[in-house]
Amino acid sequence: MNKYEIIANSIEQYIHDNKLEQGTKLPSLDQLMKEHNVSKSTITKALDTLEKRGAIFQQRGSGIFVRRQRREGYVSLLTNRGFTADLKEFNITSEVLKLERMKADDEVKMNLHLEGNEEVYYVERLRRIDNDILCIEVSYFPVKLVTYLNNEIAEGSIFNYLTDALKFNISFADIYMHIDELNDIDAKKLELKQGNPALFLEQVVYLATGEPFDFSKITYHYKHSKFFVQATNY
Amino acid sequence: MNKYEIIANSIEQYIHDNKLEQGTKLPSLDQLMKEHNVSKSTITKALDTLEKRGAIFQQRGSGIFVRRQRREGYVSLLTNRGFTADLKEFNITSEVLKLERMKADDEVKMNLHLEGNEEVYYVERLRRIDNDILCIEVSYFPVKLVTYLNNEIAEGSIFNYLTDALKFNISFADIYMHIDELNDIDAKKLELKQGNPALFLEQVVYLATGEPFDFSKITYHYKHSKFFVQATNY
């Protein structure tokens, strides 16, 4: 981790630990520089990182303020996608229902920019949040990028494995969502009834090189999934 | 609009008009500088804006690439929130069901940081996308900030009015989502049946000063609402 990331995390932890409310004024840039004993450019980078994360907002001339005001029980839509090391508030566990190497079908090829007979790891997982069923997640990873995967890894965080062990530089994701009624098969897996409402989410996640390495289809349990998104106007 | 915004829009329009696919390499920074006849700092700002919008990605050493790959029929979750002047692909219209000044109740006061007997504009709208019912939207705007509102304005884009006429500097939003079954009242308004699935979204939108000026509750028609979100890893 870079110095500015360590400082950003420490400021975020401070906001969290002290339960600072939205709009609370934080120390000035100069004060933060002295406190953390770093250069102006490092503290500026740390603050920009926190602003992008939605933890603070900076108002020219008047100061730095706490932005985050999270409702209890809501999971960050983006964090949950394997993004950003947010402060962990939920215990999310994964049960691997199936894991195998297979040839990519047309839909998978299109989403992962694959050709010919290229292979993918297929992983189907049942994910729980604090012991409640959160979702069924079906993921495809191209073998040419994700060279190895097993049950033990898939029971934990595949994203942590990709960044830590395979040194993936994960950069961005496209997420598609719609709402519909559950079919019989998904309903059984989620321990719900056919016709119950569900959120269907598809995501394609990319490396900094622009190569897609993860195509996932996720079906959320409507009683156990609440999301928040922080939007910033550009 | 600033110079860099005009250039950013022109590059985005170029990508759109030429239907450039994801991963397509764009001209280099130097070429873009010459082409648009602007300084390096202006073109850098334009490219950073496009990167934040999710239209491009920049890879140090190898160039600038097209990022956006939008599926047809999906509305940007953030654009639809009144954010970012995206390329207009959908015709969204609003029918005002109710508009009145009223005292804020406790829930509204909490979300808009109001106290005592402060008043809000209450607006209930039925929104259509290409003639299909998209959602029922109930919004609260504090009168101290949104000093005037009428039916004619609410039939169009309230956000355009706030930025153009009232010169609002809209900065960020907190969005909360969950899925559930429709109750009888909402089902009638959406021309659906009680028990049908629905996406329920709440948003609080803020000025650059950190003041919340819009608290909205939106109930989406499950057959006519598909969303995409572009996520960036920080």
Side-chain angles (χ1 to χ4, degrees):
Chain A
M1 226 186 301
N2 289 315
K3 206 179 208 176
Y4 76 90
E5 288 176 299
I6 294 167
I7 291 167
N9 289 348
S10 131
I11 295 172
E12 196 171 6
Q13 196 67 50
Y14 175 82
I15 292 169
H16 184 258
D17 292 347
N18 291 280
K19 296 192 174 66
L20 298 188
E21 282 187 28
Q22 188 158 46
T24 305
K25 193 167 182 172
L26 293 170
S28 70
L29 202 136
D30 284 347
Q31 286 171 301
L32 289 169
M33 261 174 73
K34 279 178 202 151
E35 204 176 295
H36 294 277
N37 198 22
V38 289
S39 69
K40 190 173 175 179
S41 80
T42 302
I43 204 78
T44 302
K45 246 179 144 176
L47 293 173
D48 285 349
T49 301
L50 288 173
E51 189 156 28
K52 283 178 184 168
R53 280 188 200 165
I56 63 161
F57 63 96
Q58 304 180 70
Q59 214 193 323
R60 228 165 277 169
S62 18
I64 305 155
F65 300 88
V66 174
R67 169 169 171 196
R68 188 157 293 173
Q69 182 187 49
R70 194 177 299 172
R71 294 188 191 177
E72 265 184 49
Y74 285 77
V75 177
S76 167
L77 185 72
L78 311 184
T79 304
N80 192 46
R81 311 265 55 71
F83 274 70
T84 315
D86 238 307
L87 301 163
K88 304 274 182 293
E89 286 175 50
F90 302 99
N91 180 29
I92 295 182
T93 54
S94 302
E95 178 187 337
V96 179
L97 304 180
K98 202 169 180 184
L99 188 153
E100 63 180 24
R101 272 174 78 139
M102 58 185 277
K103 284 204 179 103
D105 66 19
D106 286 343
E107 185 194 15
V108 172
K109 279 195 214 168
M110 195 211 38
N111 281 288
L112 292 176
H113 302 181
L114 301 178
E115 286 175 2
N117 286 322
E118 286 191 78
E119 283 195 318
V120 289
Y121 276 106
Y122 169 93
V123 186
E124 185 176 341
R125 300 191 290 178
L126 181 72
R127 311 199 76 178
R128 286 193 171 80
I129 181 163
D130 297 338
N131 294 320
D132 289 325
I133 293 177
L134 176 65
C135 63
I136 297 281
E137 182 171 320
V138 170
S139 303
Y140 302 87
F141 302 97
V143 170
K144 68 173 174 185
L145 295 173
V146 179
T147 48
Y148 182 72
L149 205 58
N150 67 14
N151 275 39
E152 197 189 339
I153 294 163
E155 276 163 17
S157 165
I158 294 177
F159 274 61
N160 283 352
Y161 162 71
L162 296 178
T163 51
D164 295 346
L166 299 191
K167 303 294 175 202
F168 273 27
N169 187 359
I170 299 172
S171 187
F172 54 87
D174 295 329
I175 298 169
Y176 301 90
M177 301 189 289
H178 72 275
I179 311 111
D180 209 340
E181 295 176 342
L182 278 174
N183 66 25
D184 185 41
I185 296 167
D186 286 342
K188 273 193 187 123
K189 288 178 185 166
L190 293 172
E191 299 174 13
L192 286 170
K193 286 180 191 153
Q194 185 175 350
N196 274 160
L199 173 68
F200 296 88
L201 189 148
E202 290 189 26
Q203 70 172 1
V204 184
V205 193
Y206 300 83
L207 298 174
T209 56
E211 288 170 289
F213 69 91
D214 169 22
F215 170 51
S216 294
K217 297 179 187 198
I218 310 166
T219 308
Y220 284 98
H221 192 297
Y222 78 107
K223 285 187 191 283
H224 307 144
S225 51
K226 289 167 154 189
F227 299 102
F228 78 90
V229 186
Q230 290 188 300
T232 303
N233 188 29
Y234 303 113
Chain B
M1 227 186 299
N2 289 315
K3 208 177 205 177
Y4 76 88
E5 289 175 300
I6 294 167
I7 291 166
N9 289 348
S10 132
I11 295 172
E12 196 170 7
Q13 195 69 48
Y14 174 83
I15 294 169
H16 184 257
D17 291 347
N18 291 280
K19 295 191 172 67
L20 298 187
E21 281 187 26
Q22 188 159 47
T24 305
K25 194 169 181 172
L26 293 172
S28 70
L29 201 135
D30 283 346
Q31 286 171 300
L32 288 170
M33 259 173 75
K34 278 177 202 151
E35 204 175 297
H36 294 276
N37 197 24
V38 289
S39 69
K40 190 173 175 178
S41 79
T42 301
I43 204 76
T44 302
K45 245 178 145 178
L47 293 173
D48 286 349
T49 302
L50 288 173
E51 190 157 28
K52 283 179 185 170
R53 280 188 200 163
I56 64 162
F57 64 96
Q58 303 181 71
Q59 213 192 323
R60 229 165 277 172
S62 25
I64 305 155
F65 300 87
V66 173
R67 169 171 171 194
R68 188 157 294 172
Q69 182 186 49
R70 194 177 299 173
R71 294 188 190 176
E72 265 183 49
Y74 286 78
V75 177
S76 166
L77 185 70
L78 310 185
T79 303
N80 191 46
R81 311 263 56 70
F83 273 69
T84 316
D86 238 308
L87 301 163
K88 304 275 182 292
E89 286 176 52
F90 301 100
N91 180 28
I92 295 181
T93 53
S94 302
E95 178 187 337
V96 179
L97 304 181
K98 203 170 178 182
L99 190 154
E100 61 179 27
R101 273 175 77 140
M102 57 185 276
K103 284 204 177 103
D105 66 18
D106 286 345
E107 185 193 16
V108 173
K109 277 195 215 170
M110 195 211 38
N111 281 288
L112 292 175
H113 302 180
L114 300 179
E115 286 175 1
N117 286 321
E118 286 191 79
E119 282 196 319
V120 289
Y121 275 106
Y122 169 93
V123 186
E124 185 176 342
R125 300 190 290 177
L126 181 71
R127 312 199 76 177
R128 287 193 170 80
I129 181 164
D130 297 338
N131 294 321
D132 289 327
I133 292 177
L134 175 65
C135 62
I136 297 281
E137 182 172 321
V138 170
S139 303
Y140 302 86
F141 302 96
V143 170
K144 68 173 175 185
L145 295 173
V146 179
T147 47
Y148 181 73
L149 206 56
N150 67 14
N151 274 40
E152 199 190 337
I153 294 164
E155 276 163 16
S157 164
I158 294 177
F159 274 61
N160 284 353
Y161 162 72
L162 296 178
T163 50
D164 295 346
L166 299 191
K167 304 294 175 202
F168 273 29
N169 187 359
I170 299 172
S171 187
F172 54 85
D174 296 330
I175 297 170
Y176 301 90
M177 301 189 290
H178 73 275
I179 310 110
D180 209 339
E181 294 175 342
L182 277 175
N183 66 25
D184 185 40
I185 296 167
D186 286 341
K188 274 193 189 125
K189 288 179 185 167
L190 293 173
E191 297 174 15
L192 287 169
K193 285 180 192 151
Q194 186 176 351
N196 275 159
L199 172 68
F200 296 87
L201 190 148
E202 289 189 24
Q203 68 173 2
V204 183
V205 193
Y206 300 83
L207 297 174
T209 56
E211 289 170 287
F213 70 91
D214 169 22
F215 170 52
S216 293
K217 299 179 183 196
I218 309 167
T219 308
Y220 283 97
H221 192 297
Y222 77 108
K223 285 187 190 282
H224 306 145
S225 51
K226 290 166 152 190
F227 300 102
F228 78 90
V229 186
Q230 291 188 299
T232 303
N233 188 28
Y234 302 115

